[in-house]
Amino acid sequence: MNINKRFVSIAVLFLSLLFGMQAQEGISTPAVFDQSWRKAHTAEEIQQALQTVVAEAKEQHDSLTLQRAYRYQFHYATKQSFPDVLEASFSQYYQLSESLQDTSALQYALRRKARFYYDQNNYFEALKAFEQELVFANARQELKDQVYLYRYIASLQSKLGLYFESEATVLQALRMLPENEATYESLTGLYNQLGIIYKERDQFEEARSYYEKSRSFSTKPDHLQTIQNNVANVYVEAGNYPKAISLFEDLLSRIDSIADTKDYARALDNLGKTLTLQHDAHALSYLQRGLDLRTQLNYATGIYSSYYHLAIYYQTFGQHSKALYYASQALAIAETHAFQEELLEIYQLLISLGATEYATDYLRMKDSIDHAIQLQAEKYVAYKYNYRKEHQLAEANHLKYQQSELERQVATQHTIIWQLVAGITLLLFAGGLWLYRNYRKRKAQQAIYATETRIGKQIHDEIANDIYQTMQKVTYSVVDQDQLLTQLDGIYQRSRNISKAHSSIVTDGHFQEALQDLLHSYQAPELILVSTGMTTIAWEELSEARKICLYRVLQEFMTNMRKHSKATLVKLSFTMKGKKLYVTYTDNGVGTDTLSKSGLQHAENRIRALNGSLTFTTAKDKGFQATMIL
């Protein structure tokens, strides 16, 4: 039998019998096929038939037929959730498509792989595949694909708790998009993602602002309803129940309860939940109506939510037996459908209702989920670090071929450098003068002297040395105009950071935001900064002195890292044990074989003054780690 005819036959059978793949999936459906292939009904028979096509295509050296056969195997594996088959068939299909220089096939494979792992909650593998596809989309300048990928990447980074990285991804996508009707849907999704990020960071006002921005671009009724629901939930989280209730009531008045039953039920349930928080007995009717609608729809996730909120209602009003009944109903739904986050939630409620037998299950599942997410986040950070390292090496090799550009630009670049030096000098002089005029007493004058001495050292280490290094590159190396301007901009930003480093510290309810701003100020293209646990700390319970100490010590570490360590990866971990705050700082820099550095000594003195402790683990070329207890 002819090889192409055999392939056509199995392709048609494969498509028609298993999952009716349509033409828009990228695989055509021939009208005529050999009747003998109709015998392949089971999954094993389909795979065996495709393997036969692969073998014959290899024997005939028919690359296009082989590519299509691999594609069927790969697509079949994603549809049937066979991870082992998927990885093998993906590798074969990808390598062959790469040798054929078929970039559209490569993008297709990466997209399918990413969506498969996304649905499997394997966020690390999904992120890798989406970012690899983004390379092709960027090369082809496909704006629609680029924004689609940025949105998925930002969402996955957020799910891994990498909120800084998620925010940076969204902002990168927003910079690419013009504001016109063609981009409104993408802008709606991107600003909504920013709202999600800030809500997760408990920055409710910023979250509400971004949700409102998202709503300003939305043109679809269902999107508007979702966004208003998000805004109302932000008010719930912030404790502004009257405002949330007003928004949910408005939402109910504008939803068609017949056409949009699921959305209407959600609004009923959310209104009932919020009224419960206000101890309003009218909540029950809304909760019950929401449950009735969701039961009619057989909507498992919604039914769980309704049962859960009814249990909360009866717990709030002291009806323990009814609360236990609805909690048990919610548990049954969560167990039947393997809802992991919902199981954690309902375990916690049952424990609060006295069902302590679920405590072990709760702790075991929480540890398992937290460990899995943390492991994926760490794998992703390591993956990004290695990727950037390889990218930097490629850029360094490319610079070797740019010397002719330097000779034509030296005079202009020298002028720019000296103008910048003059501007920085004037800025620093003005800052020093301002400090001098605001401290008139003797002790304040002494503080000014100490501060100016430290600033002078920073100017020498961080500004003057960088300017001199830039001048050396201009004189002896190849540096293009854009790269030089980027370097000079970096010098300018560091000069601003020097000024900011000596300003007053916010210690009120916005301390977490101030601390995040401090870490943001040290961000650089070559640096990966990961922070975990910051949003879990009850900052209002820390004294002003402890907050100032923490801020200054982290400032010392970050400054020391930028000046000396050459680190490309920094991780900060925050945990609260009892009344003690534990903060661990780790970087992969060059380390040190001595702890006599003045900055580190200042940090140790600050913490000891508050009866805290500071321990170091470091060695030359082995990185640096410090753990402080306040």
Side-chain angles (χ1 to χ4, degrees):
M1 182 181 290
N2 180 275
I3 179 64
N4 289 324
K5 189 173 181 181
R6 287 190 175 185
F7 178 77
V8 167
S9 302
I10 186 57
V12 171
L13 182 63
F14 168 61
L15 297 177
S16 61
L17 292 180
L18 288 180
F19 45 81
M21 187 188 305
Q22 301 298 315
Q24 62 263 30
E25 294 286 353
I27 303 176
S28 63
T29 305
V32 181
F33 56 91
D34 192 286
Q35 298 296 318
S36 63
W37 291 99
R38 289 186 179 275
K39 296 180 180 179
H41 292 295
T42 68
E44 292 74 13
E45 289 173 344
I46 295 262
Q47 287 286 15
Q48 185 176 358
L50 285 171
Q51 289 169 5
T52 300
V53 175
V54 167
E56 294 189 21
K58 287 181 177 179
E59 184 178 345
Q60 297 292 329
H61 303 288
D62 187 346
S63 297
L64 293 179
T65 299
L66 182 60
Q67 182 191 29
R68 295 180 69 190
Y70 283 152
R71 181 166 179 154
Y72 283 126
Q73 286 183 320
F74 169 59
H75 191 94
Y76 173 75
T78 63
K79 286 289 184 179
Q80 299 301 315
S81 298
F82 294 157
D84 295 338
V85 177
L86 178 138
E87 286 296 342
S89 58
F90 168 80
S91 177
Q92 294 167 331
Y93 177 63
Y94 192 90
Q95 290 176 13
L96 182 56
S97 298
E98 196 170 35
S99 68
L100 296 173
Q101 298 183 347
D102 187 348
T103 55
S104 63
L106 296 175
Q107 278 191 255
Y108 163 83
L110 289 167
R111 177 76 58 88
R112 297 296 307 216
K113 182 180 181 183
R115 290 301 302 271
F116 171 81
Y117 281 118
Y118 185 90
D119 293 338
Q120 298 289 318
N121 294 330
N122 189 337
Y123 302 140
F124 168 64
E125 291 295 341
L127 262 174
K128 279 175 55 179
F130 276 129
E131 289 186 341
Q132 289 166 1
E133 184 191 350
L134 183 61
V135 174
F136 292 106
N138 287 338
R140 297 167 71 169
Q141 294 296 299
E142 296 173 348
L143 182 60
K144 183 178 180 180
D145 280 351
Q146 288 172 307
V147 174
Y148 170 90
L149 293 167
Y150 278 128
R151 287 176 64 180
Y152 262 103
I153 290 168
S155 175
L156 286 163
Q157 289 170 331
S158 180
K159 289 178 183 296
L160 291 175
L162 303 172
Y163 299 118
F164 289 139
E165 291 83 351
S166 181
E167 182 179 4
T169 300
V170 173
L171 294 177
Q172 189 171 356
L174 288 172
R175 284 193 290 269
M176 300 170 60
L177 280 175
E179 292 188 4
N180 56 50
E181 291 186 9
T183 64
Y184 280 177
E185 184 174 353
S186 295
L187 291 169
T188 298
L190 289 167
Y191 281 113
N192 188 67
Q193 179 63 35
L194 283 176
I196 292 171
I197 292 168
Y198 277 90
K199 180 175 176 290
E200 290 297 324
R201 284 158 56 173
D202 294 334
Q203 295 175 254
F204 300 123
E205 184 58 30
E206 291 82 354
R208 185 198 60 78
S209 174
Y210 281 119
Y211 281 138
E212 295 290 355
K213 184 78 170 177
S214 175
R215 180 157 56 181
S216 70
F217 289 108
S218 180
T219 58
K220 296 183 178 181
D222 57 335
H223 289 175
L224 288 168
Q225 293 166 13
T226 299
I227 295 167
Q228 182 161 334
N229 184 76
N230 290 344
V231 173
N233 278 322
V234 168
Y235 281 116
V236 172
E237 294 287 343
N240 190 344
Y241 304 137
K243 183 65 176 177
I245 290 169
S246 175
L247 287 173
F248 285 132
E249 289 176 339
D250 176 68
L251 193 57
L252 281 170
S253 70
R254 293 188 290 106
I255 298 177
D256 186 337
S257 61
I258 303 301
D260 301 303
T261 305
K262 185 178 289 187
D263 291 339
Y264 193 77
R266 179 181 65 183
L268 286 169
D269 188 62
N270 281 333
L271 178 56
K273 172 193 69 177
T274 310
L275 288 170
T276 299
L277 293 172
Q278 279 207 316
H279 292 78
D280 188 334
H282 291 93
L284 181 59
S285 64
Y286 292 105
L287 293 172
Q288 192 62 57
R289 287 165 60 194
L291 174 60
D292 292 342
L293 288 174
R294 285 167 165 175
T295 302
Q296 292 173 21
L297 294 170
N298 196 26
Y299 177 36
T301 303
I303 294 171
Y304 163 82
S305 181
S306 290
Y307 281 143
Y308 178 79
H309 290 144
L310 280 165
I312 293 291
Y313 172 85
Y314 284 114
Q315 182 188 40
T316 301
F317 286 91
Q319 299 185 47
H320 186 265
S321 60
K322 286 189 176 181
L324 269 177
Y325 169 76
Y326 282 107
S328 299
Q329 294 294 100
L331 176 63
I333 294 290
E335 288 178 337
T336 300
H337 297 277
F339 295 155
Q340 287 195 335
E341 292 184 3
E342 287 78 0
L343 276 171
L344 277 181
E345 182 181 57
I346 197 61
Y347 282 155
Q348 198 167 13
L349 176 58
L350 284 164
I351 294 168
S352 72
L353 290 169
T356 55
E357 65 268 22
Y358 293 103
T360 301
D361 293 333
Y362 171 78
L363 292 173
R364 182 175 61 251
M365 177 170 282
K366 188 175 190 309
D367 289 344
S368 176
I369 293 174
D370 290 346
H371 177 72
I373 294 296
Q374 182 67 21
L375 182 62
Q376 290 192 56
E378 290 176 356
K379 287 172 65 177
Y380 175 71
V381 169
Y383 162 74
K384 291 295 290 184
Y385 167 72
N386 292 329
Y387 174 81
R388 289 183 180 180
K389 188 175 181 180
E390 292 173 2
H391 184 66
Q392 290 169 356
L393 180 60
E395 286 185 342
N397 291 333
H398 179 69
L399 290 176
K400 295 178 181 179
Y401 302 97
Q402 304 298 318
Q403 289 194 350
S404 59
E405 291 294 324
L406 175 64
E407 296 176 0
R408 293 193 295 269
Q409 298 174 6
V410 168
T412 302
Q413 292 167 351
H414 274 219
T415 300
I416 294 172
I417 290 171
W418 287 114
Q419 288 176 345
L420 183 61
V421 170
I424 293 173
T425 302
L426 181 61
L427 177 65
L428 294 174
F429 176 79
L433 183 61
W434 180 85
L435 288 171
Y436 177 79
R437 288 178 176 177
N438 281 274
Y439 291 92
R440 300 182 182 278
K441 295 181 180 181
R442 184 176 180 181
K443 288 185 178 181
Q445 291 173 340
Q446 291 173 347
I448 290 173
Y449 174 78
T451 300
E452 289 178 341
T453 301
R454 185 174 180 182
I455 290 176
K457 187 176 185 302
Q458 285 184 285
I459 293 171
H460 176 270
D461 292 348
E462 298 183 20
I463 305 300
N465 284 347
D466 283 358
I467 292 174
Y468 178 77
Q469 183 180 8
T470 303
M471 291 171 58
Q472 290 293 100
K473 286 184 178 180
V474 167
T475 305
Y476 300 109
S477 303
V478 175
V479 180
D480 62 24
Q481 184 76 24
D482 291 339
Q483 183 187 13
L484 178 62
L485 290 175
T486 299
Q487 292 173 338
L488 295 179
D489 182 68
I491 295 173
Y492 173 72
Q493 294 298 330
R494 286 195 295 277
S495 72
R496 291 186 64 189
N497 289 340
I498 291 174
S499 176
K500 185 176 180 180
H502 300 280
S503 61
S504 61
I505 300 172
V506 175
T507 58
D508 58 13
H510 298 285
F511 176 72
Q512 178 182 324
E513 185 176 346
L515 200 58
Q516 290 170 335
D517 287 343
L518 171 68
L519 300 179
H520 267 306
S521 69
Y522 289 91
Q523 284 281 20
E526 70 278 7
L527 177 65
I528 298 174
L529 177 59
V530 179
S531 173
T532 61
M534 185 184 296
T535 58
T536 66
I537 304 302
W539 295 108
E540 67 277 3
E541 296 180 7
L542 266 66
S543 66
E544 180 178 3
R546 292 167 75 189
K547 291 178 183 177
I548 292 174
C549 176
L550 172 63
Y551 188 100
R552 289 304 185 197
V553 170
L554 286 181
Q555 194 174 53
E556 290 281 357
F557 286 170
M558 297 301 291
T559 300
N560 193 65
M561 176 273 297
R562 292 299 301 273
K563 288 164 56 178
H564 305 297
S565 76
K566 301 179 182 178
T568 57
L569 177 63
V570 173
K571 180 179 179 181
L572 284 166
S573 174
F574 298 80
T575 54
M576 202 79 180
K577 298 180 181 179
K579 295 184 178 181
K580 293 291 186 180
L581 174 64
Y582 290 73
V583 181
T584 301
Y585 167 96
T586 308
D587 69 39
N588 65 345
V590 297
T592 178
D593 53 6
T594 175
L595 297 179
S596 62
K597 301 290 185 181
S598 61
L600 300 180
Q601 189 65 51
H602 289 323
E604 196 168 11
N605 291 339
R606 284 180 184 275
I607 293 176
R608 285 181 176 175
L610 294 174
N611 296 321
S613 66
L614 179 63
T615 57
F616 302 97
T617 302
T618 183
K620 191 171 183 181
D621 297 323
K622 297 294 185 179
F624 177 81
Q625 178 174 316
T627 299
M628 68 182 84
I629 304 175
L630 285 171

